[in-house]
Amino acid sequence: MKVRGIQFSPVLGNIEKNTGVHMEHINRAVEDRVDLIIFPELSISGYHLKDIVYDVSLTPEHDVIRQFKDVSRHIDIVVGVPLEEQPGIIYNCALYFSKGELLHIHRKVQLPNFGMFEEQMLYKAGNEFRTFKVGGFTAGIIICREILFPINAYLYYLQNVDFLIGISNSPHRGISKEGMSSLKLWERLGEVFAVNYHQNYVFVNRSGFEDGMGFGGGSFFAAPGRGIVKKAEYFQDDTFDFEISLE
């Protein structure tokens, strides 16, 4: 299975422009015979939504959702969206589209609400880590802060997950001689998931600046039993491809 991660900087609150960027990447991936394309957390809206969250959240019947369903007839897609499933109730979600349908929704369970993060003020927390089938793989999704607690990946391990998808909006911080400590943290966790839990693990982070905050990029793929084998650039927009196999 050929997979492509898209590390980019969404425009805050501009659903139309961000959807266009998604479709450009998706069309290019279809031409390149990619099977699955993965975008970062809240890729369709940007991160610091604050007072505009109700204006930009998508309902399940939204035209943008329909567009992703239509194009998923040609390629599987993971996209991050603020999803309003009931009036006034919004979740920070990762949506998995496949074969013309919305196959799976992961509603972020652990919502940070300290310092620069205000997610509990905006979103309702999810309450489950549920698996789904992708071809012959058993897949699961974790979003940003959920990655920081290895127990969540372990919950998927107990459900026989062999393909774990992590999407994030992680800022870069903690400068040291070894580099940005925040970026190294994601990499250490990826090594754990791949080596200790024997999962195909992909981490897709965003890049760019938003509301004075810089996002670190540094997306990667970690192979089971081996660790990180493919990395995107730090800080800047990038695209990276890898393959996963049941062998």
Side-chain angles (χ1 to χ4, degrees), residues 11 52-53 99 107 129 138 145 157 168 198 212 216 230 246:
V11 179
I52 65 171
V53 66
K99 297 180 174 59
R107 302 166 185 87
F129 293 93
T138 301
R145 184 167 173 78
Y157 168 80
S168 182
H198 212 73
K230 196 67 176 287
L246 290 170

Side-chain angles (χ1 to χ4, degrees), residues 185-202:
L185 175 61
W186 302 117
E187 293 170 5
R188 285 196 297 272
L189 289 163
E191 297 276 354
V192 170
F193 303 161
V195 175
N196 295 71
Y197 302 158
H198 212 73
Q199 294 166 334
N200 290 282
Y201 174 65
V202 57

Side-chain angles (χ1 to χ4, degrees), residues 26-82:
I26 290 168
N27 291 335
R28 192 174 304 119
V30 170
E31 293 175 359
D32 294 339
R33 300 182 182 276
V34 172
D35 300 301
L36 165 64
I37 187 168
I38 304 172
F39 295 91
E41 177 186 11
L42 294 173
S43 59
I44 204 69
S45 62
Y47 184 71
H48 283 289
L49 297 177
K50 298 186 179 180
D51 293 344
I52 65 171
V53 66
Y54 290 101
D55 298 324
V56 303
S57 294
L58 307 185
T59 64
E61 298 77 28
H62 197 283
D63 183 62
V64 170
I65 300 295
R66 181 193 59 77
Q67 291 181 55
F68 282 116
K69 285 182 178 180
D70 288 345
V71 76
S72 75
R73 301 179 192 279
H74 309 290
I75 184 174
D76 286 12
I77 306 161
V78 175
V79 60
V81 307

Side-chain angles (χ1 to χ4, degrees), residues 128-185:
E128 61 181 354
F129 293 93
R130 185 165 49 89
T131 67
F132 59 104
K133 286 293 186 180
V134 177
F137 295 95
T138 301
I141 299 177
I142 47 182
I143 302 177
C144 206
R145 184 167 173 78
E146 296 170 343
I147 301 168
L148 297 177
F149 297 86
I151 186 64
N152 296 327
Y154 183 68
L155 289 174
Y156 280 128
Y157 168 80
L158 294 176
Q159 299 176 75
N160 298 312
V161 162
D162 43 25
F163 183 27
L164 183 60
I165 301 167
I167 63 173
S168 182
N169 271 187
S170 173
H172 53 77
R173 56 197 186 277
I175 300 175
S176 68
K177 291 181 180 180
E178 291 75 29
M180 290 286 180
S181 60
S182 58
L183 301 178
K184 295 300 179 183
L185 175 61

Side-chain angles (χ1 to χ4, degrees), residues 187-231:
E187 293 170 5
R188 285 196 297 272
L189 289 163
E191 297 276 354
V192 170
F193 303 161
V195 175
N196 295 71
Y197 302 158
H198 212 73
Q199 294 166 334
N200 290 282
Y201 174 65
V202 57
F203 172 74
V204 181
N205 192 24
R206 68 160 288 178
S207 56
F209 285 82
E210 184 184 285
D211 199 22
M213 183 187 300
F215 294 88
S219 305
F220 61 83
F221 168 66
R226 297 169 59 195
I228 295 173
V229 296
K230 196 67 176 287
K231 289 176 65 174

